[in-house]
Structure formats: structure tokens, C-alpha cells
Amino acid sequence: MISRRHFLQSSACGFGSLALSALAHGAANPLAVRQTHHTAKAKRVIFLFMAGGVSHVDSFDYKPRLLKDDGKMMDFNDARSVAKTGSGASQRVMKPLWDFKQHGQCGQWASSLFPNMAELVDDLCFVQGMHTEGVAHGPATLFLHTGSTNFIRPSMGSWVSYGLGTENENLPAFVSISPSLSNGGPRNYGTAFLPPVFQGTALGRAGAPAAEANIKNIRNTMLTGEQQRKQFDLLRSLNHEQLQRSALGGQDAELEAVLNSYELAWRLQGNAPETLDISGESEDTLKLYGINEKPTDNFGRQCLMARRLAEKGVRYIQVNYTDNSNNPAWDQHSNLPKHGEHAASVDKPIAGLVKDLKQRGLLEDTLVWWGGEFGRTPYAERNGTGRDHNPLGFTQWLAGAGVKPGFSFGGTDEFGHFAVEDKVHMHDMHATILHLLGLDHEKLTYRYAGRNFRLTDVHGHVVKEILA
């Protein structure tokens, strides 16, 4: 008699055998902890996304030339980073609106826009020669999160979940706190062609109070805990019995996957509410993050929630300071002083997060990544009071596991327009963060549509100069 395996291998070009193999592979826990490519410095990432593009020349990239030439008409369109004066010059140089001074033992320049972060420069690693793809918010934000400006690609958090699995089987491996529906929306935490299990779990939404951020339908208000336990035990026993009676002799991967999803949901229901509840935190901790204070309460709650998720083993946590508009928070084309309002909302909570992680010992294996999708121009847009988008040169910073503290790498030209020294492309930043997590960006691939895909496509290199 012909065996079932032989029949599947020999009929329909063997596609039945391939399908069975895929199902069998899927039966294993896809979020189980995986072996890294090399020794990891970081176990997890907290990404503080400043949507809209913080002005680097008003915050961490000090350019005395802007003070000297403030008000002059110049031309910044030369790709060789040469600002020109003359009859054709059409852009007015605009000095920083906040005063700069050196901070810490490292002497890093920082402005009064972020006074609390400025106090922590000895813990931060500044990457000041950043450049990226995409001039508009949508493409640039997608590129920041997925490595592509237009194609549907897996988000970075999904790649991390796929590559590492989860430290805590009771919680998602990837969480996005208060994400926006615009400028990429769910694609910024989506899986694209990776299996759906690696998709980010959204907590709350942009613009909503952080106190409302929770996993939808996580609480069952219709049944008591004991009733829910009995219901779950019955469902599990029925599924196991059906699994044993299946045509595949207890090897039905689809049914086993459903059973596993129920069990994961049960564990999540029992663990997520406690993790997301900050009511047990001390008054000192709440004060550190600016909670119950204006204007820091909302973002402070998001940052504290990120620390609690990191503490519980979530691999990748996005904390989004954004809204649901096409021109998000930091996008000041005509009103740069508005930067001050947003800075007042995020500066204390972000500094509080770094301090809290450090004093708890979590900063040793947690990588904090801060930045927006691009920077802003050194000249006033349309000769007004704001700055335009600038993907050609800007600043981001890292802190924690595996990077040099109190260190600055790379630089822009004397006006802050173009990255010219030790340039770091966004692909390079992605490659470096994956490296710190123990993942080789060239080996972290997924086969789809006939070829291997990766976060960095065919680009990127690890910025070894910033590694501790």
C-alpha cells in the first residue's frame, strides 16, 4: 500500500508534502527563544519615536555659523554642502532659537530645548551624521520603521521578534505604545510577509490618554476568574481529545496551532493587566517621569509603561510621540517655537526613563533609541519662522547596552545641512541595533516571493565606532 507521505510527495508536483512540512514547522512555538548569531550586548530595545522631525540644529547639533550668518540669504541646494551667497540665493539662514552650552564630563553641546536630557549626556551616545531616505513624512517614517519608503515590508520590531523570540511567553514580544494611524500607520508595527505572530501589539492610539492604553478585550467582565478557568480547561481538554483523534494521529499542526493560540491568550489575560497597571509605583517614581504633572503626564505614563514592559521581557517597545495628522508633532514649518511645547512634554519623561533603567540595572542590557524620521533645515522655510524637512543630515542618540556613553560620532557641515563626517545611513543604524541584539543583519533573512529579504535589503553596515 502507498503511504500518505509517499502520496503527498509524488502527487501534484509534491506541493502536498511541502504544505504538510510547513504545517509541521508551524506547530512549534514560533516565539520560543532563538540562538543569536553572536554574543548579544542588548536583550531588548525601547525606541522613543519623535514623529515629525526634531530640529537637530536647535537641540544637539551646535553650529556657531548659524549665529554668525543669521538673516543672510544663501543657497543650500548644492549637494556638496557648500552654502552660497549671491543674486540667486533664496534661503534665509536661521539661528537656533534655544541657547547652547556644553554639558557633562564629555562636553557634549546641547541646547536649553531639552534641559533634562542635557544633564544625561554622559550616558548618551550621539550619532550626528545621520542621513536617510524620503523627504515627506510618510516615506521617511516607513523607512525608519521598515527599511523601505514605499514597499510593504516587515517592521523592525517584527524582525527582532522573528530573530530572537520572546523572553516572556505570557506577553507579546513586540509592543507599540500609542501608535499613529497616519504616515505608515499599522505598517510601522506590522509583519508584511513575516508570519502574523511577529506583529506588534498596539497599546492605545495616538492622541488618546496613555491611561487608556491597554490590550483590547483583555478583561472578561461576564465571568468570574474561576468560571473562566473552568471554561478554558474544558476547551483545552476538548481540543487535545480532538487532536488525538485527528486523521494525522495527533500531528494536526493547524489544530495544535489553534490550541496554542488559546493558551497564549489565556496567559496574556492573566499577566498583561498587572504589567500595564502603574498604580503600584512609588511617588518618587511617578515624579521622576512627570506623572500627574502638566504637561508631562501622558508621555510620562507611556515611558513608565515601556520600562515595565522591558522589565517583563518584551523584546521591542515603541513609544510614539505623535498624533494622527499628516503633519505630526515636531513638524514646525512655520512655527518653530512650538518645539518648546513638545519638548516640555517629553524631556522629563525621557530623562526619567533613562535614569530609572540605570538605577534598576536595566540599562545594562536594554538599548534606548531616540529620534525622528529626519531633521530640519538650517534655513527658514519660505523666509518664515519655521524649518523644512531635512533627511540629508540630522542627529539621533542611543543609550545603554553596548554603546559608548558620553560619546559623539559623525557630523554635519558648518550649517548643519548635510551629513559630511562619518556618515551613518538609516540602514546602518538598523544594522547596528540588530548587531547589539546579537543578530547579523545579513543573516537575518526570510524567504518570500522567490528570494531572501532582510531589514537592510542589500545595504547597511555596523557602525563599530560607537560600540563599547
Side-chain angles (χ1 to χ4, degrees):
M1 293 178 64
I2 186 171
S3 70
R4 180 166 56 245
R5 186 180 301 275
H6 180 70
F7 173 77
L8 290 171
Q9 289 175 338
S10 59
S11 62
C13 301
F15 284 115
S17 178
L18 289 173
L20 180 62
S21 175
L23 287 174
H25 177 72
N29 179 11
L31 287 174
V33 175
R34 299 191 182 190
Q35 186 67 38
T36 57
H37 298 135
H38 52 263
T39 302
K41 295 291 185 67
K43 291 184 178 180
R44 66 199 70 85
V45 174
I46 298 176
F47 175 37
L48 303 167
F49 176 45
M50 303 290 105
V54 178
S55 173
H56 57 295
V57 293
D58 287 281
S59 54
F60 297 116
D61 196 3
Y62 178 50
K63 298 299 176 183
R65 186 69 187 268
L66 296 183
L67 295 169
K68 176 184 177 182
D69 291 340
D70 181 44
K72 286 185 179 180
M73 301 301 293
M74 305 185 83
D75 178 10
F76 289 87
N77 294 325
D78 193 317
R80 293 169 297 176
S81 184
V82 179
K84 302 175 181 178
T85 58
S87 59
S90 59
Q91 292 141 338
R92 177 173 56 81
V93 176
M94 183 176 176
K95 69 179 181 180
L97 302 191
W98 291 268
D99 295 330
F100 276 82
K101 69 177 184 178
Q102 290 177 288
H103 294 265
Q105 293 182 353
C106 66
Q108 169 67 35
W109 287 92
S111 80
S112 57
L113 179 63
F114 295 120
N116 291 283
M117 278 189 254
E119 293 178 0
L120 298 181
V121 294
D122 286 334
D123 293 311
L124 309 182
C125 179
F126 292 89
V127 183
Q128 300 197 278
M130 288 293 304
H131 62 116
T132 190
E133 307 294 324
V135 176
H137 295 290
T141 300
L142 269 178
F143 196 83
L144 172 68
H145 287 90
T146 72
S148 174
T149 58
N150 51 5
F151 296 110
I152 297 178
R153 296 286 186 266
S155 62
M156 186 171 184
S158 294
W159 279 112
V160 171
S161 301
Y162 166 67
L164 296 179
T166 181
E167 287 187 293
N168 187 339
E169 63 178 8
N170 297 325
L171 292 171
F174 172 24
V175 171
S176 183
I177 302 175
S178 299
S180 174
L181 297 175
S182 60
N183 296 312
R187 291 168 63 182
N188 295 330
Y189 56 91
T191 54
F193 47 72
L194 287 179
V197 69
F198 301 114
Q199 176 168 303
T201 297
L203 299 182
R205 55 187 172 80
E212 298 177 6
N214 213 322
I215 299 173
K216 292 182 179 180
N217 305 315
I218 193 66
R219 297 185 185 276
N220 187 335
T221 58
M222 300 176 64
L223 300 175
T224 66
E226 182 179 356
Q227 290 172 326
Q228 292 176 59
R229 178 81 240 186
K230 289 181 178 179
Q231 184 185 63
F232 174 70
D233 287 342
L234 175 61
L235 183 61
R236 182 164 59 178
S237 64
L238 291 173
N239 278 328
H240 277 294
E241 183 177 347
Q242 185 176 352
L243 181 63
Q244 294 305 312
R245 292 181 178 182
S246 70
L248 296 178
Q251 300 298 317
D252 188 331
E254 286 191 55
L255 182 56
E256 192 169 356
V258 171
L259 190 153
N260 287 338
S261 71
Y262 286 145
E263 295 191 353
L264 174 60
W266 173 261
R267 295 194 302 270
L268 189 64
Q269 187 176 26
N271 288 270
E274 183 274 332
T275 301
L276 301 176
D277 183 6
I278 67 171
S279 61
E281 296 284 350
S282 69
E283 284 298 321
D284 286 343
T285 298
L286 298 179
K287 185 176 180 180
L288 183 65
Y289 285 84
I291 295 172
N292 298 323
E293 303 173 14
K294 291 184 178 181
T296 52
D297 180 72
N298 201 53
F299 197 70
R301 291 175 184 273
Q302 293 181 42
C303 288
L304 179 54
M305 199 179 298
R307 190 222 79 202
R308 292 176 65 87
L309 290 167
E311 217 167 16
K312 294 292 186 179
V314 177
R315 289 288 191 187
Y316 195 91
I317 306 154
Q318 292 177 359
V319 186
N320 301 282
Y321 184 75
T322 184
D323 52 31
N324 285 316
S325 70
N326 289 323
N327 300 100
W330 296 96
D331 191 35
Q332 272 78 62
H333 290 271
S334 59
N335 185 17
L336 192 62
K338 189 79 172 177
H339 258 40
E341 295 181 24
H342 295 303
S345 296
V346 305
D347 181 43
K348 184 176 182 178
I350 290 172
L353 173 63
V354 175
K355 291 177 184 177
D356 200 15
L357 290 171
K358 187 176 181 180
Q359 67 189 16
R360 292 171 186 268
L362 284 168
L363 199 58
E364 296 176 4
D365 57 9
T366 301
L367 182 68
V368 182
W369 175 24
W370 175 93
E373 64 270 36
F374 41 50
R376 308 206 78 81
T377 58
Y379 53 84
E381 183 173 359
R382 298 177 183 175
N383 297 323
T385 57
R387 301 190 192 273
D388 203 356
H389 307 165
N390 184 14
L392 305 174
F394 60 102
T395 298
Q396 294 189 337
W397 61 252
L398 302 167
V403 297
K404 294 177 180 177
F407 185 71
S408 180
F409 181 73
T412 54
D413 63 77
E414 59 183 346
F415 290 93
H417 194 208
F418 297 90
V420 294
E421 179 185 352
D422 294 323
K423 298 168 65 174
V424 176
H425 192 273
M426 192 64 72
H427 279 314
D428 304 328
M429 178 63 81
H430 290 162
T432 304
I433 292 172
L434 291 179
H435 176 84
L436 290 166
L437 290 165
L439 298 170
D440 185 330
H441 73 107
E442 294 183 349
K443 294 179 180 178
L444 184 65
T445 62
Y446 188 84
R447 191 77 177 176
Y448 174 72
R451 77 171 178 93
N452 288 337
F453 283 83
R454 69 187 206 215
L455 173 62
T456 53
D457 195 33
V458 296
H459 309 283
H461 73 276
V462 176
V463 187
K464 296 181 180 179
E465 294 86 349
I466 70 171
L467 304 183

